[in-house]
Amino acid sequence: MTVSAALNSAETVELFHKYVIPNYRRYPVNLVRGEGSNVWDSEGNRFLDLFPGWGCNLLGHCPPKVVQAVQEQAAALLHVPNSWHMEAQGQWAKMLSERSFGGQAFFCNSGAEANEAAIKLARLHTPREKYKIITFEGGFHGRTLGATAATAQPKYHEGLGPLMAGFKYAPFGDLEAVEALIDAETCALMVEPVQGEGGVRIPPEGFLAGLRELADEHELLLIFDEVQAGCGRLGEWFAYQHFGVTPDVMTLAKAICGGVAGGAMLTTAEIAPSLRPGMHASTFGGNPLAARAGIATLETIEEENLLERAKHLGELFRTRLEALQQECERIREVRVQGVMIGIELVDEGADVVTAAMEKGLLINCTQNTVIRLLPAMNLSDEQAHEGCDILADILKQGGA
């Protein structure tokens, strides 16, 4: 296997120190090549990636069908603005509609953009006096200013005020608190069916159905942010299908294009016209490269029966990690839904991430104490066991 790079990891880190704004906490590793759930650095070291692309690489690194589609499209038509029609975007919207609740799509480039579109749609679709949206503590909806205001985590608000007005925050899982916040100016409820960045928090039984009932009773839009949980990660095409509760609006991104930048907001044909011409747009949204990658991603999931694979992997991880919990006092709770996995520790987990990287495993820690895994749907059983073995070695030792 050939791995080539002009600079080694140390030289690349130095390049970043001089020229790249340091707004990310980066590890001193220069990744140069990926294949499936493996990725290599410029020194030729292999890493098993159980957090590929922050969850964007749901089919692993460089899925062949997506790569081929992008290569073919790049040679034919790289970009055209949305003032024209293009077949691939229409076909992509059709495929998403047929696999969800039969609505229409607005395309953009990221989850934050998709949620911005949903926020604007909620205000445009409801009477002018209605503008408030209730979101949930621990939720995460993106880093644009509107999406940051929707995100009910004070640490992301520090130094940015005044934030966009109109957001009210309720405890995740507390229907009574939600109802108490609804008033005559409320237009929507916005929730992640499973909170991702918030620590892989799974909703209590009946919570999402209760939100649907409240939305219907008070004539509010119900928005599901499926940026992280959607596109098959939970073993169904979309998270709402897993919980049997259909939203009015759904936002998607991350995995939607198999590793290529892309996002979408889906809503019903009745609500969609409220996002009228001139009120919202995206220059690159739904561009030919993203559209072809999105189609190839959906086709790969179907052709390789990866929805069932996600369910199988979820049970494999659940079995291994719950057994590990019995042996390891450091684990407080294991939460698994398809290939969305959280291991809550009794203390901070940054050392676990560093120790795992040193042993050739890439993972993530969120909310300081939750080890988060978002593995590819096509991860092999052997790779899943390899990752669990490394985690077990680290956690049984109490850290590095």
Side-chain angles (χ1 to χ4, degrees):
M1 184 172 299
T2 301
V3 177
S4 61
L7 302 178
N8 63 32
S9 289
E11 292 167 337
T12 303
V13 170
E14 180 63 22
L15 186 69
F16 270 58
H17 281 166
K18 288 184 178 178
Y19 299 112
V20 179
I21 293 174
N23 63 311
Y24 298 101
R25 295 187 181 92
R26 299 177 190 265
Y27 297 102
V29 175
N30 178 30
L31 297 176
V32 297
R33 181 176 181 276
E35 181 179 337
S37 289
N38 291 321
V39 65
W40 288 264
D41 68 9
S42 51
E43 285 71 40
N45 298 306
R46 180 189 76 93
F47 299 87
L48 174 62
D49 196 351
L50 296 189
F51 196 69
W54 286 355
C56 297
N57 299 337
L58 189 57
L59 304 178
H61 291 276
C62 301
K65 189 159 185 165
V66 174
V67 170
Q68 181 180 354
V70 169
Q71 288 175 331
E72 291 174 354
Q73 186 59 52
L77 186 64
L78 204 55
H79 174 67
V80 292
N82 281 307
S83 50
W84 309 99
H85 291 86
M86 58 188 121
E87 181 181 336
Q89 186 182 126
Q91 294 291 356
W92 188 22
K94 179 173 182 285
M95 293 176 75
L96 289 169
S97 177
E98 290 175 345
R99 286 155 183 77
S100 61
F101 46 73
Q104 297 179 330
F106 164 81
F107 289 109
C108 49
N109 304 293
S110 68
E113 285 188 44
N115 285 329
E116 291 282 350
I119 292 165
K120 292 174 77 170
L121 175 63
R123 290 190 173 190
L124 289 167
H125 183 71
T126 50
R128 284 182 179 273
E129 68 273 14
K130 288 176 172 279
Y131 68 99
K132 295 178 182 174
I133 298 176
I134 297 172
T135 64
F136 293 88
E137 295 172 4
F140 183 82
H141 300 292
R143 297 181 190 271
T144 56
L145 204 52
T148 296
T151 296
Q153 297 194 54
K155 65 182 180 181
Y156 292 123
H157 300 168
E158 293 177 4
L160 296 178
L163 296 175
M164 176 179 162
F167 290 98
K168 299 292 182 182
Y169 309 131
F172 187 66
D174 189 338
L175 288 172
E176 290 185 1
V178 177
E179 189 163 21
L181 288 174
I182 296 172
D183 61 25
E185 295 174 327
T186 306
C187 68
L189 310 176
M190 183 173 181
V191 65
E192 294 169 274
V194 176
Q195 289 189 341
E197 193 271 352
V200 189
R201 298 174 67 197
I202 298 167
E205 183 76 23
F207 175 59
L208 298 177
L211 292 182
R212 179 73 269 175
E213 291 176 6
L214 286 174
D216 292 341
E217 180 182 347
H218 296 276
E219 298 184 338
L220 314 175
L221 292 187
L222 180 60
I223 303 168
F224 276 7
D225 175 344
E226 297 208 14
V227 168
Q228 187 165 135
C231 300
R233 182 169 294 285
L234 302 192
E236 302 289 346
W237 276 114
F238 303 103
Y240 82 83
Q241 295 162 332
H242 184 86
F243 295 102
V245 178
T246 303
D248 301 301
V249 182
M250 177 170 65
T251 57
L252 303 167
K254 288 194 180 293
I256 193 172
C257 295
V260 175
M265 179 193 71
L266 272 60
T267 188
T268 66
E270 292 73 28
I271 297 172
S274 293
L275 204 68
R276 58 187 185 275
M279 294 308 295
H280 197 57
S282 173
T283 298
F284 282 100
N287 69 74
L289 290 179
R292 288 291 305 278
I295 292 169
T297 298
L298 294 172
E299 290 177 342
T300 299
I301 291 172
E302 283 184 333
E303 290 168 1
E304 299 184 9
N305 196 25
L306 294 181
L307 296 179
E308 291 303 313
R309 181 76 194 154
K311 295 174 186 172
H312 166 78
L313 284 169
E315 291 310 306
L316 187 157
F317 274 103
R318 185 191 306 279
T319 300
R320 283 295 311 268
L321 295 174
E322 287 183 349
L324 178 60
Q325 183 184 10
Q326 299 302 313
E327 305 175 45
C328 181
E329 295 181 353
R330 196 175 177 189
I331 298 177
R332 185 194 307 277
E333 186 177 20
V334 172
R335 299 187 283 269
V336 179
Q337 201 78 64
V339 284
M340 193 169 184
I341 300 155
I343 309 163
E344 183 164 359
L345 306 179
V346 298
D347 56 0
E348 295 194 358
D351 65 311
V352 177
V353 176
T354 302
M357 186 175 63
E358 292 171 350
K359 293 176 179 288
L361 175 66
L362 302 185
I363 57 175
N364 170 258
C365 180
T366 187
Q367 301 294 315
N368 293 326
T369 60
V370 180
I371 301 301
R372 181 170 45 159
L373 312 180
L374 298 175
M377 300 170 79
N378 52 9
L379 185 78
S380 70
D381 284 9
E382 291 74 18
Q383 290 170 322
H385 285 299
E386 178 187 352
C388 290
D389 289 343
I390 294 173
L391 280 172
D393 286 344
I394 296 168
L395 290 169
K396 286 179 181 177
Q397 294 169 9

